[in-house]
Amino acid sequence: MAHNQSSPEAGVGPDRKAALNNTLRHRILTMQIAPGSVLDEVALSEEFGLSRPPVREAMRQLAGEGFIELEANRPARVTSMSYQSLRDFFLIAPMIYVAATRLAAEHASKADIAGLREIQDSFRDAVHSNDVDGRVFYNDKFHLRVGEIANNAYVLPSLRRLLIDHARIGKIFYRPSNARMLEELHEASRQHDEIIDAIANHDADRAEALIRAHLDLSRKNMAMYAAPEGMAISLGV
Amino acid sequence: MAHNQSSPEAGVGPDRKAALNNTLRHRILTMQIAPGSVLDEVALSEEFGLSRPPVREAMRQLAGEGFIELEANRPARVTSMSYQSLRDFFLIAPMIYVAATRLAAEHASKADIAGLREIQDSFRDAVHSNDVDGRVFYNDKFHLRVGEIANNAYVLPSLRRLLIDHARIGKIFYRPSNARMLEELHEASRQHDEIIDAIANHDADRAEALIRAHLDLSRKNMAMYAAPEGMAISLGV
DNA sequence: TGCGCGCAGAATGTCTACAAAATGTAGACT
DNA sequence: AGTCTACATTTTGTAGACATTCTGCGCGCA
């Protein structure tokens, strides 16, 4: 349990605004707040010990990052998901993930690799200790960090948007009772390690192959859940 | 002059907040506000007849879209550009533009095509009447609309970010005295028409080829401007 | 009984005023 | 003369109160 993003008493501390942002992100990623839910401004301002203006600013920011959707004179809602979202996700994700990973392999410094390994250590721990939220959280952090290492302002926006739904898809289709799924989580963790190695070696081609396999694993998992009997399901591509 | 986005007296009207957003976007796209410039909250609130809180909300929103950059306790600054930006842009732009255009070709309805043609009419007018800002504005609108028709929430964020710098690059390297450049603007306009036709015919392959040629034209223009004397370009901070 | 109108409650949007942080400047000390 | 420090100014951040808009319920009417 390395992270405590969702502390119950968040109304204290030096930087309550950052706490609000991080906590909301975490709750949305882990689906503690379900897609489509409404966010009440006063409730949040009371929870985090802020007045409404800074809360509203945070909302605008989160909306820009794709976590929530705003409409005039209407409450903020967590970005919704649909069957269409799944299709769109697996259609675009390979392109963006590959671009980010290849660029990361080209640009990564020693410090970047060290940072990546640190995140991956936390991710591995979460997988081994069956900490579902921690796994979702550090998986997000891992891929986001790869995107930051890529150091290209034009890939990051879509990558950020994809990662939100990547996390939520991972949570939706996660079934703890399934032994095969557990094995595949460990497989995903191993893939992370290999991706780091490929990036460290500046081997963009290998990094690309690995990230593609990584996404295919997610997609297969999801398809397996949605269509256990081997039904044809068109997942784009 | 079909658009009046930058009306001098913006402090009136029913929706001053939308006016603030649109005007700022327009000014940044056309570089009426240079990259790296600071935006003063009180000045904007006075200009648009608003108080600071809604202005600050708009700032957060624009920051999320990539127009400006925010730092704690520091004034908002228009997103800066550098030589690195140019490289990054032409590295990623083809990928995103192609994805958006192909998806648009697959999804476009009759109404979508009509909307595109309408925008393109305004763009063509701007090109023929040498309305530089109008050209930049409607070019942005055109490609943004294509992205909206693509109807994929994961391509749009990066496309939006790219379009900001696409507009600004177009302005930076625009030289009205150059006859060859004028001809290439008309060529770009013709390409728009062809892209619409390809999308209308659901011909994704042709749409892809056209959008690639469209970007190559921009890139060639820029290289032509940058390379002749072999001088390094200073892009204002 | 079903539909539409209108009012009451609640939530969002905005404003003014105050607090805190950062910057620029002037003065004093080394 | 240079630099550090303390203060004053400016600007950003926040709070609480007010205005406006939406929602839901109940009443009245066909």
Side-chain angles (χ1 to χ4, degrees):
Chain A
M1 231 63 37
H3 69 292
N4 56 347
Q5 288 289 320
S6 56
S7 60
E9 299 305 320
V12 293
D15 199 344
R16 297 160 298 177
K17 200 169 172 179
L20 168 62
N21 271 281
N22 292 331
T23 306
L24 276 184
R25 283 197 191 89
H26 188 257
R27 286 181 187 167
I28 292 172
L29 287 179
T30 60
M31 299 222 302
Q32 286 170 39
I33 312 179
S37 305
V38 302
L39 296 178
D40 186 54
E41 292 179 1
V42 298
L44 288 172
S45 61
E46 284 169 5
E47 179 180 3
F48 290 91
L50 287 163
S51 63
R52 282 179 50 228
V55 171
R56 286 172 60 83
E57 288 183 15
M59 303 280 235
R60 290 303 199 289
Q61 189 174 337
L62 290 173
E65 298 171 12
F67 285 91
I68 63 179
E69 288 168 343
L70 297 177
E71 238 175 322
N73 296 321
R74 216 156 252 104
R77 289 177 163 278
V78 175
T79 302
S80 57
M81 296 200 44
S82 63
Y83 176 76
Q84 169 88 20
S85 303
L86 280 184
R87 265 193 67 87
D88 292 349
F89 178 89
F90 285 105
L91 201 65
I92 298 300
M95 180 179 80
I96 300 289
Y97 279 61
V98 164
T101 310
R102 290 194 67 100
L103 288 172
E106 291 174 15
H107 292 98
S109 68
K110 303 264 191 213
D112 291 332
I113 301 299
L116 224 42
R117 288 206 195 280
E118 199 174 329
I119 295 171
Q120 167 60 4
D121 287 343
S122 299
F123 176 75
R124 196 185 304 106
D125 286 350
V127 169
H128 282 78
S129 62
N130 251 314
D131 172 9
V132 180
D133 284 1
R135 170 175 65 78
V136 169
F137 178 73
Y138 286 111
N139 184 66
D140 181 80
K141 244 187 150 180
F142 177 83
H143 291 288
L144 184 57
R145 180 61 65 88
V146 171
E148 288 166 354
I149 294 173
N151 197 32
N152 185 307
Y154 308 104
V155 253
L156 257 183
S158 279
L159 181 63
R160 287 196 137 99
R161 184 65 189 80
L162 284 162
L163 283 174
I164 294 170
D165 288 351
H166 191 156
R168 302 199 291 183
I169 290 170
K171 197 93 199 279
I172 289 173
F173 294 104
Y174 172 70
R175 288 297 172 278
S177 56
N178 190 334
R180 198 183 54 74
M181 167 147 266
L182 271 174
E183 169 46 34
E184 290 188 346
L185 284 179
H186 285 81
E187 169 69 11
S189 180
R190 268 176 263 128
Q191 286 176 332
H192 279 197
D193 287 317
E194 291 188 88
I195 288 168
I196 296 177
D197 290 339
I199 291 175
N201 291 330
H202 303 296
D203 188 343
D205 289 339
R206 174 155 173 72
E208 169 171 349
L210 286 165
I211 194 74
R212 284 191 188 280
H214 194 53
L215 276 168
D216 275 346
L217 188 66
S218 289
R219 188 164 60 89
K220 205 174 61 180
N221 250 341
M222 195 209 67
M224 202 72 91
Y225 170 77
E229 293 89 4
M231 264 180 63
I233 180 167
S234 61
L235 289 170
V237 173
Chain B
M1 227 62 36
H3 70 293
N4 56 345
Q5 288 289 319
S6 55
S7 59
E9 300 305 320
V12 293
D15 200 343
R16 298 161 298 178
K17 200 169 173 180
L20 167 62
N21 271 282
N22 292 332
T23 305
L24 276 184
R25 283 197 191 90
H26 188 257
R27 285 181 187 168
I28 292 172
L29 286 180
T30 59
M31 299 223 302
Q32 285 170 40
I33 313 179
S37 304
V38 301
L39 296 177
D40 187 54
E41 293 178 1
V42 298
L44 289 173
S45 60
E46 284 170 5
E47 179 180 2
F48 291 90
L50 288 162
S51 64
R52 284 179 50 230
V55 171
R56 286 171 60 81
E57 288 182 14
M59 303 279 233
R60 287 307 203 295
Q61 189 174 335
L62 290 173
E65 297 171 14
F67 286 91
I68 63 179
E69 289 168 343
L70 297 177
E71 238 176 321
N73 296 322
R74 221 158 246 100
R77 289 176 163 278
V78 175
T79 302
S80 56
M81 296 200 45
S82 63
Y83 176 76
Q84 169 88 22
S85 303
L86 279 183
R87 265 194 68 86
D88 292 350
F89 178 88
F90 285 105
L91 202 65
I92 299 300
M95 179 179 82
I96 300 290
Y97 279 60
V98 163
T101 309
R102 288 194 68 100
L103 288 172
E106 291 174 15
H107 291 98
S109 69
K110 304 263 190 212
D112 291 333
I113 301 298
L116 270 182
R117 290 206 194 277
E118 200 173 330
I119 295 170
Q120 167 61 4
D121 287 344
S122 299
F123 176 75
R124 196 186 304 107
D125 286 351
V127 168
H128 282 79
S129 61
N130 250 316
D131 173 8
V132 181
D133 284 1
R135 169 175 66 79
V136 169
F137 178 73
Y138 286 109
N139 185 65
D140 181 80
K141 244 188 150 181
F142 176 84
H143 290 289
L144 184 57
R145 180 62 63 88
V146 171
E148 287 166 353
I149 294 172
N151 195 32
N152 185 306
Y154 308 104
V155 252
L156 256 182
S158 279
L159 181 64
R160 287 196 137 97
R161 184 66 190 80
L162 284 162
L163 284 174
I164 294 170
D165 289 351
H166 192 155
R168 302 199 290 181
I169 289 170
K171 197 91 199 276
I172 290 173
F173 294 104
Y174 173 68
R175 289 296 173 278
S177 56
N178 190 332
R180 198 183 55 74
M181 168 147 264
L182 271 173
E183 169 48 32
E184 290 189 347
L185 284 178
H186 285 80
E187 169 69 12
S189 180
R190 268 176 264 131
Q191 286 177 331
H192 278 197
D193 287 317
E194 291 188 88
I195 289 168
I196 296 176
D197 290 340
I199 292 175
N201 291 329
H202 303 297
D203 187 344
D205 290 338
R206 172 155 175 74
E208 170 172 348
L210 286 166
I211 193 74
R212 284 191 189 280
H214 194 55
L215 276 169
D216 276 345
L217 189 66
S218 289
R219 190 163 57 88
K220 205 174 59 179
N221 250 341
M222 193 207 69
M224 202 73 90
Y225 170 77
E229 295 89 2
M231 268 183 57
I233 323 146
S234 66
L235 290 173
V237 180

